Amino acid sequence: MQAAIRIAPADTRDWGRAMAAELTHVEGDWGALMWSLGSAGVLARQALISLIVPGRQGQGVVPDDGLLAKSPTLRNALLTVTGACLLAALFFVASPPFRQAFQVALAPWHALIHHNPQPDFADLARRAGARQDAEGLAFCAIRSRYSWGENVRLADEAVRLDPRLLWVYAVVAMQNPALPETATWVERLKQWDPQNALFYLISARLLKQGRFHEGPPAPEQWQAWQNAMASAFQSAKFDDYLDRVAQITQRVVPRYQLYDPREVDSRTQIDLPHYAFEDSENYARILLADGEKQEAKGDIKTGRERFWSVARFGQLIDSHARTDFERWMGMGLQSAAYERLQASFQKQGDGPQASLFAYLAARFDPGNAPEFPQGSALGMRTAGRNAAVVEMSGLMILIFAGLALAALAIIIAAGRLEGGIVAQRVRPVAIIVGLSSALGILFSTATLYLTYRPYWYIFQSAIQTGDRLPTADLRFFLNDLSAPAGFLPHVLHTLLSALLYSGSPSFLFYVWTGVTLLGIGGLVLIVLRRLRGGPRAHAP
Amino acid sequence: MKTPRLSPETLLVIQKFAERPTDWLYGYELSRVTGLKSGTLYPILMRLERYALLEACWVATEVGVPPRHTYRLTPNGLELAQTKLAEARPRAMVRQPAFCIG
């Protein structure tokens, strides 16, 4: 009770002493305890009220700083806590994972404001050009999405400086077969790596590009496409050069100290494009239909050869798959071929062979593969939630920093008006706003650091060891950071993703909302006090 | 005269004061007769005092024991108490038979 009396406003202390004096007469220890707890509660409530609205009850003509004026110790304690929170937040800022996390967290907001969703490689390309760094130029040629013409220039420059990087043409052409340079590049690549099915897939798409959509293809175009696909299906190897991409990434990232994982992990855009699957599926369908037709005619051997050529191509893609998509594509082709083989042996009454192919068809059915997506330890849903939490944490750090700066400016201004009534009225609230903002900064900083930390390790592992297995998590996470159109929809989408992850508002919601409201409410109160401060200053 | 909002607990407190209008009452004594805990009673007393409906003074009781705060209604407080209690009484009387039927 003595402590409660000490923190009570001046006009309430007599009441505190009155309550304390009654303690001597209260019967029983339990009764005395209840009495003192109730009394201390009354005094604490009065102290809190005086802290927020000092002099609200009109007892003091000259308003004071409330609790803080009477207790410099408490004021110093609050300022110390504020400083400690900011210092602790600075420790996070000093760590590389946090700096990367903050950069990643603000990227969607930056993209939203500047309508620029992709990282800009222009600066990196300039630096690599100045250093005559072939790998740096190749890195930019593969990842930049702003100008295909610029990508071609960068790829040409990289190959000119280091002819061993010829494969860069394949990666650039794979992403955009419609480039005028594609045909020339593919011919060079076929000589350089003759057994690779990738070039035939690109050629097939080049034949199809912009021609089949204009109407039925001419017979010779159709035949040329079929020939290209037949060559792809008969190829002895498949390499999309993602291993080489990973190798130059390992070297370029530390060389240029790239911290934005979006610059590094653009593998969803470098993966085998969807057209390769579409063309492969279409050609496989043609082969399977032809095989069934041959079987119907009685030419079982030719029919099965057609089925086997599809299965072999599926095996080729599956065994060289670097991505989930490639693996999925390879498995799908195999499964379809094994189904036909099973039916073929079934018709011939070869039960054991039919059972074997039935097993294989089920084994390679992509729908039965529970481990998809491969390499994801945390899962897509967690990645989505983490992306939203990271985004919100970055935004909240900025909001709290703004509140803290406003509070600091008010405290400094109040210090210059030392002794003024307005200064006395606003300073305690500004201290509280500063404290709540510092707490908010520390909380959001810690949340951002802890949420992003696994992705930092994935990033480091991918860069340093070339281990790409867990990069699916990083990829899902980065994909979820993409911004929907419009600021408000994006804020709502992010907020709901972050808060309703488990079906109900989480702890984050209460902290962010509470601290933000406290800070903003404090600033509003300061403004109101400033407005009220003038007339009261002249009161007798 | 500006008057505070009179909750049922406040009415109870001023009723106890009004029953002994000239006596000075102690906080603990009031707590016992009203059944209100200190956390409820003292805010009521503070509010009544702020509106000048209650006067308080310190009295020394015995040696070695801290002086105690005592309270009684001011003339304004007594007038308000009589008015409010008079208003409350007919309502209670009307209500009473309805509960007694049957």
Side-chain angles (χ1 to χ4, degrees):
Chain A
M1 280 216 60
Q2 290 305 321
I5 292 168
R6 271 202 299 280
I7 66 161
D11 52 9
T12 317
R13 281 187 205 156
D14 262 3
W15 285 98
R17 291 191 195 98
M19 295 177 223
E22 292 301 301
L23 263 178
T24 318
H25 306 277
V26 176
E27 294 168 1
D29 291 342
W30 183 251
L33 178 65
M34 290 294 108
W35 182 270
S36 50
L37 285 177
S39 304
V42 172
L43 295 173
R45 202 159 56 228
Q46 292 295 324
L48 195 64
I49 292 169
S50 83
L51 182 69
I52 298 166
V53 196
R56 74 180 174 93
Q57 292 150 353
Q59 290 131 353
V61 173
V62 179
D64 58 15
D65 272 9
L67 177 61
L68 297 183
K70 287 194 297 293
S71 176
T73 314
L74 180 62
R75 186 170 57 192
N76 291 340
L78 292 182
L79 289 173
T80 306
V81 172
T82 305
C85 288
L86 293 176
L87 197 64
L90 280 177
F91 274 114
F92 281 109
V93 173
S95 71
F98 176 83
R99 288 205 298 276
Q100 186 178 92
F102 195 53
Q103 191 175 355
V104 167
L106 295 188
W109 305 107
H110 183 268
L112 207 59
I113 293 164
H114 293 90
H115 305 290
N116 172 17
Q118 296 291 336
D120 186 1
F121 289 93
D123 180 54
L124 181 61
R126 206 164 29 248
R127 288 160 61 199
R131 291 169 64 160
Q132 296 280 296
D133 178 3
E135 288 185 336
L137 291 167
F139 182 89
C140 296
I142 290 164
R143 286 175 169 76
S144 178
R145 291 291 174 278
Y146 284 108
S147 158
W148 287 110
E150 178 65 3
N151 290 7
V152 170
R153 187 190 72 76
L154 291 169
D156 279 338
E157 187 64 11
V159 174
R160 186 184 67 76
L161 290 170
D162 185 353
R164 288 171 302 174
L165 295 176
L166 197 69
W167 56 268
V168 172
Y169 286 146
V171 179
V172 175
M174 180 172 77
Q175 294 165 65
N176 189 0
L179 287 172
E181 291 80 4
T182 300
T184 319
W185 285 353
V186 165
E187 288 313 309
R188 282 182 70 182
L189 287 163
K190 279 178 184 170
Q191 290 169 13
W192 177 71
D193 190 4
Q195 290 299 317
N196 195 346
L198 177 69
F199 309 137
Y200 297 104
L201 290 174
I202 296 173
S203 293
R205 175 51 51 156
L206 187 60
L207 289 163
K208 226 175 171 185
Q209 194 86 36
R211 294 171 191 167
F212 282 25
H213 296 298
E214 292 164 4
E220 62 272 16
Q221 285 174 346
W222 180 243
Q223 191 56 51
W225 178 82
Q226 288 202 59
N227 290 344
M229 289 307 298
S231 300
F233 271 56
Q234 287 159 13
S235 297
K237 70 179 270 197
F238 170 77
D239 189 353
D240 55 9
Y241 303 114
L242 291 187
D243 282 340
R244 294 176 191 241
V245 171
Q247 283 165 10
I248 68 162
T249 299
Q250 275 180 261
R251 292 191 287 269
V252 168
V253 168
R255 193 178 300 160
Y256 293 92
Q257 296 184 333
L258 301 178
Y259 278 104
D260 186 348
R262 296 174 311 142
E263 289 178 342
V264 180
D265 191 276
S266 307
R267 295 190 52 232
T268 44
Q269 293 159 344
I270 304 176
D271 280 358
L272 190 66
H274 196 266
Y275 67 76
F277 170 69
E278 190 185 302
D279 284 350
S280 301
E281 195 184 36
N282 284 341
Y283 187 68
R285 202 174 291 132
I286 292 168
L287 285 181
L288 295 174
D290 189 49
E292 284 171 340
K293 203 190 290 175
Q294 297 296 333
E295 279 201 329
K297 281 188 203 165
D299 189 353
I300 293 171
K301 186 175 172 228
T302 309
R304 285 182 186 165
E305 272 174 13
R306 299 281 187 274
F307 303 149
W308 269 116
S309 62
V310 173
R312 269 195 304 271
F313 187 65
Q315 288 168 359
L316 183 72
I317 299 288
D318 187 16
S319 60
H320 290 83
R322 265 74 166 184
T323 65
D324 297 332
F325 177 66
E326 288 170 358
R327 188 166 165 236
W328 186 77
M329 173 178 155
M331 288 178 73
L333 291 172
Q334 287 180 82
S335 180
Y338 295 142
E339 273 178 26
R340 300 307 193 287
L341 285 165
Q342 182 245 330
S344 172
F345 283 102
Q346 191 81 48
K347 268 188 232 162
Q348 285 221 315
D350 189 344
Q353 286 289 333
S355 301
L356 173 66
F357 285 111
Y359 164 76
L360 289 173
R363 166 73 181 77
F364 287 95
D365 184 352
N368 295 338
E371 67 270 32
F372 279 117
Q374 186 187 33
S376 168
L378 304 173
M380 292 180 83
R381 194 157 172 260
T382 305
R385 182 258 185 183
N386 285 348
V389 169
V390 161
E391 268 190 68
M392 282 310 296
S393 301
L395 188 65
M396 295 313 286
I397 288 171
L398 290 185
I399 290 172
F400 290 135
L403 284 172
L405 284 176
L408 182 67
I410 290 164
I411 291 169
I412 291 170
R416 289 185 180 168
L417 300 170
E418 194 61 55
I421 291 170
V422 172
Q424 289 176 10
R425 292 170 71 83
V426 301
R427 189 164 46 202
V429 185
I431 290 173
I432 299 300
V433 171
L435 173 67
S436 62
S437 305
L439 285 169
I441 288 173
L442 178 59
F443 177 78
S444 303
T445 305
T447 303
L448 177 58
Y449 177 81
L450 294 173
T451 309
Y452 186 75
R453 199 176 162 82
Y455 300 105
W456 161 261
Y457 281 116
I458 290 170
F459 177 75
Q460 289 299 105
S461 166
I463 296 305
Q464 288 171 4
T465 67
D467 177 15
R468 294 179 310 174
L469 268 182
T471 51
D473 282 311
L474 182 61
R475 202 181 321 151
F476 296 150
F477 173 80
L478 293 173
N479 284 345
D480 278 310
L481 282 174
S482 58
F487 188 78
L488 196 59
H490 184 63
V491 169
L492 288 174
H493 169 262
T494 305
L495 199 61
L496 289 175
S497 302
L499 302 179
L500 300 180
Y501 171 61
S502 56
S504 60
S506 62
F507 175 65
L508 292 171
F509 173 82
Y510 297 114
V511 175
W512 276 333
T513 308
V515 179
T516 309
L517 289 180
L518 195 61
I520 292 172
L523 286 182
V524 169
L525 198 61
I526 287 172
V527 173
L528 292 177
R529 282 182 164 205
R530 174 72 185 83
L531 295 175
R532 286 175 58 202
R536 291 179 68 86
H538 299 295
Chain B
M1 179 183 65
K2 199 176 173 188
T3 58
R5 185 179 63 85
L6 296 182
S7 63
E9 290 79 12
T10 309
L11 273 175
L12 182 63
V13 170
I14 64 172
Q15 183 191 350
K16 295 299 173 192
F17 276 119
E19 286 169 2
R20 296 155 65 185
T22 55
D23 290 358
W24 291 88
L25 302 177
Y26 298 119
Y28 182 57
E29 187 183 355
L30 270 168
S31 170
R32 288 183 64 178
V33 297
T34 58
L36 298 175
K37 295 185 171 22
S38 61
T40 309
L41 176 66
Y42 275 92
I44 292 171
L45 296 178
M46 290 156 79
R47 198 160 59 247
L48 290 174
E49 199 238 7
R50 197 178 309 133
Y51 284 93
L53 301 173
L54 191 77
E55 54 184 328
C57 74
W58 289 99
V59 293
T61 50
E62 45 190 298
V63 180
V65 176
R68 297 178 75 180
H69 225 202
T70 60
Y71 317 96
R72 73 175 181 186
L73 289 177
T74 61
N76 281 345
L78 194 57
E79 187 186 331
L80 179 75
Q82 285 164 350
T83 311
K84 294 291 177 186
L85 291 171
E87 283 173 9
R89 202 169 295 126
R91 284 203 297 271
M93 287 171 69
V94 169
R95 221 179 276 137
Q96 198 172 2
F99 287 108
C100 292
I101 291 172

